[in-house]
Amino acid sequence: MNLADWSDLFVAAAGASAALAGLIIVAMSVNIEVIVRYPTLPSRAGSTIAVLVLSTIASLLGLIPELPSQYLGAAIILFSLVCLVFAIGSTVGLVRTSPLSGILKGAVLIVPVLGFVIGGAILVAGVLAGLYVVVAGMLLGFVGTVLNAWVLLVEVRR
């Protein structure tokens, strides 16, 4: 197995995550008056976009020809830690307003990012199988961001 074997997946993931990020941005612009009325929604939306940008960046980095897996892992960890700051900040706000549901809503953002961090660490160790963990983070991120997109598009209007 080598990094080039993953190129089709990275191309698809980059496109999907960029499209979902666009959806979130459109959802925010359509419902911005409602979103800003809720103290936790702006940071939740920002964290959602951050997870999608992380997926896009990780996918694009994976497409760099002959990039050593250790460099890929280090870059994924770096961008993941930035994303994790957003996700933790959003989760803190969610937990303050509603402890139990805040933890669950925050986990939707934090758990995928942890997949990127762990997968990146495995790549830094020189084990290409870390890509499976990174992809798990992407898939969990897609699920979580679609859930948050639903909240930003529909639930805020209820």
Side-chain angles (χ1 to χ4, degrees), residues 50-51 53-55 57-58 61 72-88 109-110 112-121 134 137:
V51 169
V53 169
L54 174 59
S55 290
I57 289 171
L61 288 169
L72 174 62
I76 288 172
I77 291 170
L78 175 69
F79 287 106
S80 297
L81 293 176
V82 171
C83 186
L84 199 56
V85 169
F86 283 98
I88 290 171
L109 296 168
I110 291 175
V113 178
L114 292 177
F116 284 93
V117 172
I118 294 167
V134 170

Side-chain angles (χ1 to χ4, degrees), residues 8-9 28 34 41 46 48 50 76 91-92 94 106 108 110 115 144 152-153:
D8 288 344
L9 183 135
M28 285 184 61
V34 180
L41 281 184
T48 301
I76 288 172
T91 302
V92 167
L94 289 164
V108 166
I110 291 175
L152 294 168
L153 279 169

